[in-house]
Amino acid sequence: MEKKADIKTLLQSDELGKEVVVKGWVRTKRGSKNVAFIAMNDGSTIKSIQIVVEINSENEKALSNIHTGAALSVNGELVASTGSGQKVEVHAKNIEILGVADPDEYPLQPKKHSLEFLREKAHLRFRTNTFGAIARVRHAMIFAIHKYFNDNGFYNIHAPILTGSDAEGAGEMFQVTTLDLENIPKNEEGKVDFSGDFFGKAANLTVSGQLEAELAALALSKVYTFGPTFRAENSNTSRHLAEFWMIEPEVAFFDINDDMDLAEDMLKYVIQYALDNCMDDLEFLSKRLLEEEKNKKAEERSMELIEKLRFVLNDDFVRITYTEAINILRNSKPNKKKRFQYVIEGWGADLQSEHERYLVEKHFKKPVIITDYPKEIKAFYMKQNDDGKTVRAMDVLFPQIGEIIGGSQREEDYDKLYTRMKEMDIPEESMWWYLETRKFGTVPHAGFGLGFERLILFVTGMGNIRDVIPFPRTPQNLEF
Ligand code: 4AD
Ligand code: MG
């Protein structure tokens, strides 16, 4: 008995005449009275293999039970295909139905379904071409990121997911407790008494692994985390998730320029990796995007997907300061004509996604890195510039996405960090360990956070972040 082969392997095989076993799910079945053609997919590749079955009195009944979505095990012979689009097909000798799919109930019929509809069928959407392609590209990007850092001498660190501190100081955290919510213990001041809680203090899900990565970088020099992070911001946008994955490299002896070089080099490496390893899926996703946008006006359409990926590789990213960015935006047409939702009035304004995209897509037509933001709109740990107004932050902005990376050089001076924490009401009690690293062998260091799903949005050309993570968590949405 032959062992089961992946469809991906079989489609590349030239062992014609070989006896094979294939298992997978039916995408379509068509045919005549005498012969049936079944397109079967097992997820190993976007391509399906064609199964050809001669219909006879013995298998007629079984074949009539095979519909889209059914799982099959097929024994047969690998033969050259006369049809277009594939080299080989399988002439079935025996077909076993492993699992039926009732066509009156199975939601994924062979026709176009909207992405919104498929979000409600997240338990089945992996079986569509689009979501199969996204899952494979996502995997390839995870692998490429680990490979990039490993090849460059970085060590992967697991930062904790449960935490007693707020890394960004922004307070958008999910609380974790084993206290009885029907009967919350209170102290004399009427505040929640966490002393009887699991950890004896308030606990949260982490918003970032950065602070722990910094501790590791101040010993191992080059480290990165790649973990889930959680944000309870109530922003229902196509770019925000409540649970997302973040890659956070942190490097001792790096300044902000080294940090930008690393960000640019890493992004180019992983995008090149996608072009080298995911072409079948990217070609499909490119066609999907063209189809989706065919009714849009030419100037509203995105750049063709593969061309867009190559385009990022060809040029250096533009590097400008926040102050330069504000000047460009203030004098821009959409700002003067008040077409931005948030009109830029002056220095100090936070940049919204519409401003970021204007700079990238309209003004520079290249990825842009903005540095030296006002300290008021950035986190407490960023290195303060001598002007007393700005910090050594850097955000990488991408077409279609806006901010894909946020990072900075870190404040390594104990007194400056301490003062900034006091100014921003960051509680010293929960951060003493972070401060101590600035007392013992402190060095300049820098790092950044790449939003993994934003990278996948870019590489797949999908428009909504809910479609590039298998099971999205967003406000009012915790199904599956
Ligand atoms: O800019 P952020 O908040 O930076 C940090 O968390 C730093 N601790 C990173 C560091 O310096 N080590 O987040 C980093 C990136 C953003 O640029 C964005 O790509 C992504 O994480 N991100 C989100 N992605 C999906 N959903 C959300 N709600 C996100 N919030 C941030
Ligand atoms: Mg940010």
Side-chain angles (χ1 to χ4, degrees):
M1 192 65 218
E2 282 297 326
K3 248 181 89 197
K4 170 184 146 341
D6 288 347
I7 290 174
K8 182 178 179 179
T9 314
L10 281 184
L11 287 173
Q12 290 160 356
S13 164
D14 40 27
E15 292 181 84
L16 300 179
K18 192 181 168 189
E19 185 93 2
V20 295
V21 179
V22 227
K23 299 184 187 189
W25 293 267
V26 175
R27 284 296 170 80
T28 57
K29 186 182 88 172
R30 59 190 176 82
S32 61
K33 245 176 76 185
N34 306 322
V35 58
F37 300 96
I38 297 169
M40 197 162 97
N41 188 283
D42 67 358
S44 57
T45 161
I46 189 141
K47 293 180 178 145
S48 296
I49 198 160
Q50 172 150 282
I51 312 288
V52 184
V53 207
E54 270 178 43
I55 304 172
N56 55 43
S57 53
E58 267 169 59
N59 66 13
E60 201 174 357
K61 174 112 205 321
L63 278 175
S64 70
N65 276 324
I66 295 177
H67 303 284
T68 296
L72 306 180
S73 175
V74 177
N75 272 339
E77 188 185 335
L78 195 67
V79 299
S81 174
T82 47
S84 63
Q86 71 253 334
K87 247 182 19 186
V88 295
E89 60 192 28
V90 174
H91 283 193
K93 297 207 169 114
N94 184 42
I95 296 190
E96 188 191 343
I97 303 180
L98 300 175
V100 291
D102 182 341
D104 294 330
E105 287 181 47
Y106 186 59
L108 304 184
Q109 291 308 313
K111 61 163 196 171
K112 198 173 152 38
H113 295 291
S114 75
L115 295 170
E116 290 79 9
F117 172 81
L118 291 172
R119 257 170 240 154
E120 291 174 3
K121 309 283 177 221
H123 56 308
L124 298 169
R125 68 178 180 170
F126 286 115
R127 299 184 188 190
T128 64
N129 282 332
T130 300
F131 288 91
I134 294 166
R136 284 183 296 271
V137 170
R138 204 178 142 103
H139 164 80
M141 292 294 91
I142 294 169
F143 187 78
I145 287 163
H146 283 299
K147 181 161 167 52
Y148 176 83
F149 285 118
N150 185 60
D151 290 355
N152 285 288
F154 283 70
Y155 295 108
N156 181 231
I157 300 294
H158 283 157
I161 291 166
L162 289 168
T163 176
S165 57
D166 178 356
E168 292 300 296
E172 291 158 337
M173 306 188 85
F174 286 101
Q175 297 186 18
V176 179
T177 182
T178 53
L179 289 178
D180 177 4
L181 295 183
E182 303 291 347
N183 195 0
I184 298 173
K186 298 271 174 76
N187 61 21
E188 284 133 37
E189 293 155 42
K191 297 231 168 94
V192 180
D193 177 9
F194 287 103
S195 62
D197 202 352
F198 190 90
F199 296 106
K201 60 197 241 179
N204 300 300
L205 295 179
T206 189
V207 293
S208 157
Q210 176 195 325
L211 303 187
E212 290 85 0
E214 282 189 55
L215 311 183
L218 294 172
L220 296 158
S221 294
K222 293 194 270 186
V223 302
Y224 70 105
T225 69
F226 191 154
T229 47
F230 307 86
R231 302 218 176 158
E233 35 188 352
N234 200 357
S235 41
N236 240 318
T237 79
S238 58
R239 283 171 194 79
H240 288 89
L241 291 165
E243 174 180 295
F244 64 100
W245 291 71
M246 186 151 52
I247 296 97
E248 295 185 274
E250 192 68 36
V251 191
F253 318 109
F254 253 30
D255 67 14
I256 189 176
N257 294 311
D258 303 318
D259 204 29
M260 288 191 278
D261 291 344
L262 176 68
E264 183 167 346
D265 193 53
M266 184 207 59
L267 284 170
K268 286 180 172 172
Y269 176 88
V270 300
I271 290 167
Q272 183 66 56
Y273 189 94
L275 288 167
D276 292 343
N277 294 278
C278 305
M279 208 31 116
D280 287 348
D281 288 318
L282 293 180
E283 277 170 359
F284 171 82
L285 290 165
S286 165
K287 278 190 216 127
R288 189 207 71 83
L289 186 59
L290 288 175
E291 175 68 23
E292 186 182 273
E293 296 195 332
K294 70 173 183 230
N295 295 329
K296 281 194 180 174
K297 284 191 230 133
E299 66 268 20
E300 283 169 11
R301 271 180 226 149
S302 345
M303 195 188 257
E304 189 277 321
L305 181 62
I306 293 162
E307 188 188 326
K308 183 188 77 176
L309 298 180
R310 294 218 170 94
F311 169 82
V312 168
L313 301 177
N314 292 339
D315 281 306
D316 288 346
F317 297 179
V318 175
R319 298 181 183 190
I320 55 169
T321 64
Y322 167 89
T323 304
E324 288 165 327
I326 285 292
N327 287 337
I328 294 168
L329 288 166
R330 216 167 18 191
N331 295 316
S332 70
K333 233 192 204 166
N335 203 61
K336 286 186 174 155
K337 299 206 162 160
K338 299 206 183 334
R339 273 204 226 108
F340 283 139
Q341 198 187 335
Y342 296 90
V343 174
I344 300 275
E345 306 282 3
W347 200 91
D350 205 353
L351 300 184
Q352 306 294 327
S353 153
E354 56 180 346
H355 308 127
E356 297 172 339
R357 293 185 61 177
Y358 173 84
L359 290 168
V360 173
E361 292 164 25
K362 300 278 188 294
H363 190 82
F364 289 109
K365 300 192 165 61
K366 277 184 215 175
V368 176
I369 310 183
I370 301 185
T371 62
D372 303 290
Y373 282 80
K375 64 178 185 199
E376 282 74 23
I377 57 174
K378 290 292 183 190
F380 69 93
Y381 50 69
M382 295 191 180
K383 185 164 178 65
Q384 297 158 38
N385 281 320
D386 293 337
D387 63 10
K389 284 179 5 196
T390 60
V391 287
R392 236 161 260 182
M394 67 106 183
D395 279 8
V396 181
L397 315 180
F398 256 36
Q400 168 210 349
I401 310 294
E403 179 190 336
I404 193 164
I405 280 180
S408 74
Q409 189 171 332
R410 318 305 187 190
E411 185 54 78
E412 85 274 18
D413 181 279
Y414 182 94
D415 294 330
K416 285 188 185 159
L417 180 63
Y418 184 83
T419 308
R420 191 69 189 136
M421 282 172 65
K422 287 276 152 227
E423 281 168 11
M424 293 179 78
D425 287 328
I426 309 284
E428 195 185 335
E429 322 74 85
S430 63
M431 293 293 216
W432 61 271
W433 43 272
Y434 186 72
L435 273 162
E436 267 200 2
T437 57
R438 274 61 172 173
K439 270 203 319 217
F440 308 129
T442 188
V443 295
H445 61 288
F448 62 78
L450 165 66
F452 185 62
E453 284 73 22
R454 296 210 182 158
L455 173 70
I456 304 302
L457 272 180
F458 182 73
V459 174
T460 59
M462 299 299 290
N464 193 312
I465 202 161
R466 291 166 179 78
D467 296 328
V468 296
I469 187 164
F471 304 104
R473 271 76 178 96
T474 50
Q476 303 299 313
N477 176 26
L478 189 65
E479 198 69 46
F480 310 107

